[in-house]
Amino acid sequence: MKLWAALRDAWLGWVDIVRLRPGWQDRFGFSFGALAKALVIFFLFAFLAIAMGSVQGGMPSLPGLLANLLVQSLGLVALLIGIVVTKLAVKSDVPLLRVLVPGIYGMVFYLVAGSVLAAISIETVPIVLLGLVFLLYSLGRAAGTWSIGVALAFAVLTVVLLVGMPLTLYMLNNPAASPI
């Protein structure tokens, strides 16, 4: 697998998506092979984000690492739920992989930017989330061919799920932290 070539293509594809330029589809493959490549890259960067966050306290054990990777993968679940709910709500016939594959690379960019900026200052995390809303909105407009309102609803829904799911699971797992 040519990691750097895939990341370069994803970067250039995302530049085209944000600028709503035609031909962005040529940068991404919409096959299960392309999906597998995007997932491998996502989990590689998730591992690096965990390692970067563990510099002071030490790398977690294997079960801890797997739990952290599981929490990181909730972003992918949020993306998938956001796509499926939006497609069902507007009865869109856009293929799932057409939105999912570039969306995974968008989540990689979110991981990288979030890790770097959080290392500088935790107050920058909302800026990263706003950037992710913009990326997902652009994805909805380009890949989903959705209207401005639908693309914005997709972006906001996905980010709300991205932020809310880990908190909800934490509260369910730890009843003492639950507000009820």
Side-chain angles (χ1 to χ4, degrees):
M1 176 186 328
K2 299 177 183 174
L3 176 72
W4 296 116
L7 286 173
R8 180 183 48 83
D9 284 342
W11 174 260
L12 294 173
W14 266 101
V15 168
D16 290 344
I17 287 172
V18 168
R19 294 182 178 171
L20 288 175
R21 277 194 276 194
W24 64 267
Q25 302 93 332
D26 301 336
R27 301 285 183 181
F28 301 99
F30 301 119
S31 65
F32 287 107
L35 176 64
K37 186 188 309 182
L39 288 172
V40 166
I41 290 171
F42 175 84
F43 282 110
L44 171 68
F45 278 95
F47 174 79
L48 292 175
I50 292 167
M52 187 175 157
S54 303
V55 168
Q56 290 179 341
M59 194 70 172
S61 64
L62 183 60
L65 179 64
L66 293 176
N68 279 315
L69 286 173
L70 181 66
V71 169
Q72 293 292 343
S73 69
L74 289 176
L76 299 178
V77 173
L79 176 66
L80 184 61
I81 291 171
I83 294 168
V84 170
V85 166
T86 304
K87 282 179 49 124
L88 289 174
V90 296
K91 296 181 181 29
S92 174
D93 59 350
V94 174
L96 179 68
L97 291 179
R98 180 180 164 98
V99 184
L100 185 60
V101 172
I104 292 172
Y105 285 109
M107 297 305 276
V108 170
F109 299 145
Y110 162 74
L111 268 176
V112 171
S115 298
V116 170
L117 290 177
I120 295 169
S121 173
I122 198 68
E123 285 84 20
T124 59
V125 172
I127 295 169
V128 176
L129 289 172
L130 285 175
L132 182 61
V133 167
F134 177 71
L135 287 178
L136 292 172
Y137 163 78
S138 299
L139 179 65
R141 294 286 290 154
T145 62
W146 297 321
S147 67
I148 292 171
V150 172
L152 187 59
F154 158 69
V156 170
L157 170 66
T158 303
V159 171
V160 166
L161 288 170
L162 174 72
V163 171
M165 281 195 312
L167 294 173
T168 303
L169 290 175
Y170 173 73
M171 287 190 291
L172 288 173
N173 190 33
N174 188 359
S178 179
I180 299 174

